[in-house]
Amino acid sequence: MTNSNKRVVVTGASSGIGRATAVALANEGWKVVALARREERLRDLVAELGADACEPIVCDVTDDASVQGAVERILAGGQVKALINCAGGAIGQDRIAQCNVEDWRKMYDINVLGTLRITQKLLPALEVAPGGGTVVVISSVAGIEAYEGGAGYCAAKSAERVFAQTLRFEEVGKPLRVIDVSPGMVATEEFSLNRFHGDQAKADAVYAGVPNPLTAEDIAECIRWALDQPDTVDVDSLVVRPRAQASAQRVYHR
Ligand SMILES: NC(=O)c1ccc[n+]([C@@H]2O[C@H](COP(=O)([O-])OP(=O)(O)OC[C@H]3O[C@@H](n4cnc5c(N)ncnc54)[C@H](OP(=O)(O)O)[C@@H]3O)[C@@H](O)[C@H]2O)c1
């Protein structure tokens, strides 16, 4: 049974952490508005969760008009209690001496500006949700620790963490929680594949020999738990790594 007070928007809901979060929250009675660019994948999600629990909206978070259209549909559908900013990812892993400016531009646009575009437009609705609203930002340990070849992604994820901190400052006193979730290595199907421009061997090598990287479901459970705290309890920041990862640079491989 969905609860009409618990309506949550999840960006990046077509795969990986966003999809797992949509499933975890729907199973807890949340009505999920699932956003991503790939309509077919969103349809699969609706088929799994049921049309009562999940409403799909095709949206490209790098496109102002697309986000505006999605927000209008979201608001027309009722109140919004929470927003999970999960759309994002890494492009390339080249050192600063060789990296591509365009890759950096895309990473900033998806991760940082994408989060800004939709959060800014949903803030008024979140702040009038009964009991208050919640913004969750999925940044990364990459936003805390730099690593070789990671500068563009680390800078974007660091900007997302700063976004969350600043929003918390700016909205203090209003009924809004801002939660940053910073995952370490999560073995999702597409994250590394996208990072390495579709090179499956390079993507597989990231996780090869690493005992039990995190799963998308592990992070979804953290998000579910943080959201389920009382409205007045703001889980400021959650840093979650697999046991085999001491830092971005220090990963145990068998
Ligand atoms: N996997 C990890 O190790 C890890 C670790 C720390 C943080 N994170 C962060 O967690 C988030 C999810 O990562 P993941 O591993 O689940 O990656 P993923 O499986 O590649 O999922 C990325 C999601 O973002 C969506 N997306 C990408 N570009 C978009 C755009 N322009 N507009 C709308 N949606 C867009 C994708 O959907 P469409 O392609 O259908 O649009 C997809 O649903 C990302 O922000 C990532 O940076 C991941």
Side-chain angles (χ1 to χ4, degrees):
M1 265 290 271
T2 57
N3 174 340
S4 63
N5 285 334
K6 290 172 76 176
R7 187 160 174 259
V8 58
V9 176
V10 181
T11 73
S14 62
S15 68
I17 297 168
R19 191 185 199 286
T21 301
V23 172
L25 295 180
N27 288 339
E28 280 265 304
W30 287 82
K31 166 111 187 169
V32 176
V33 185
L35 270 59
R37 292 167 304 177
R38 286 171 294 175
E39 191 172 9
E40 248 180 57
R41 281 181 166 250
L42 292 178
R43 264 198 239 117
D44 290 347
L45 182 64
V46 177
E48 181 178 332
L49 298 179
D52 276 352
C54 182
E55 176 191 349
I57 299 183
V58 172
C59 175
D60 181 342
V61 297
T62 66
D63 181 310
D64 289 330
S66 178
V67 173
Q68 179 61 33
V71 166
E72 284 168 13
R73 281 185 60 189
I74 293 164
L75 297 180
Q79 65 192 28
V80 186
K81 176 83 179 152
L83 164 66
I84 319 290
N85 284 293
C86 198
I91 304 171
Q93 199 175 11
D94 303 310
R95 302 168 79 86
I96 290 171
Q98 290 93 26
C99 68
N100 182 329
V101 171
E102 196 45 39
D103 287 348
W104 282 48
R105 202 190 312 275
K106 283 184 191 154
M107 283 190 279
Y108 198 82
D109 202 8
I110 302 168
N111 293 284
V112 189
L113 301 184
T115 296
L116 170 63
R117 282 185 189 95
I118 191 149
T119 304
Q120 187 180 55
K121 287 185 162 49
L122 287 179
L123 268 185
L126 288 163
E127 290 180 345
V128 296
T134 304
V135 174
V136 178
V137 174
I138 310 303
S139 61
S140 172
V141 296
I144 304 172
E145 307 153 341
Y147 57 92
E148 289 161 58
Y153 182 60
C154 292
K157 288 306 193 185
S158 177
E160 276 191 84
R161 285 175 57 82
V162 171
F163 174 96
Q165 286 166 9
T166 309
L167 184 62
R168 205 177 295 113
F169 277 127
E170 290 175 351
E171 302 300 301
V172 71
K174 295 190 182 157
L176 186 80
R177 299 185 298 181
V178 184
I179 298 173
D180 166 62
V181 178
S182 298
M185 180 187 280
V186 189
T188 54
E189 205 182 312
E190 297 188 318
F191 177 83
S192 292
L193 200 58
N194 288 334
R195 170 168 233 169
F196 296 115
H197 307 286
D199 186 329
Q200 189 70 59
K202 273 193 181 173
D204 291 345
V206 172
Y207 313 103
V210 179
N212 305 107
L214 295 172
T215 65
E217 289 72 23
D218 293 329
I219 300 302
E221 170 55 15
C222 294
I223 296 167
R224 186 208 61 73
W225 172 81
L227 270 188
D228 272 358
Q229 297 307 301
D231 282 320
T232 49
V233 175
D234 188 331
V235 179
D236 182 311
S237 176
L238 272 176
V239 180
V240 188
R241 307 172 196 271
R243 192 170 56 187
Q245 184 183 37
S247 76
Q249 301 249 48
R250 186 81 175 87
V251 181
Y252 174 77
H253 290 257
R254 274 193 199 100

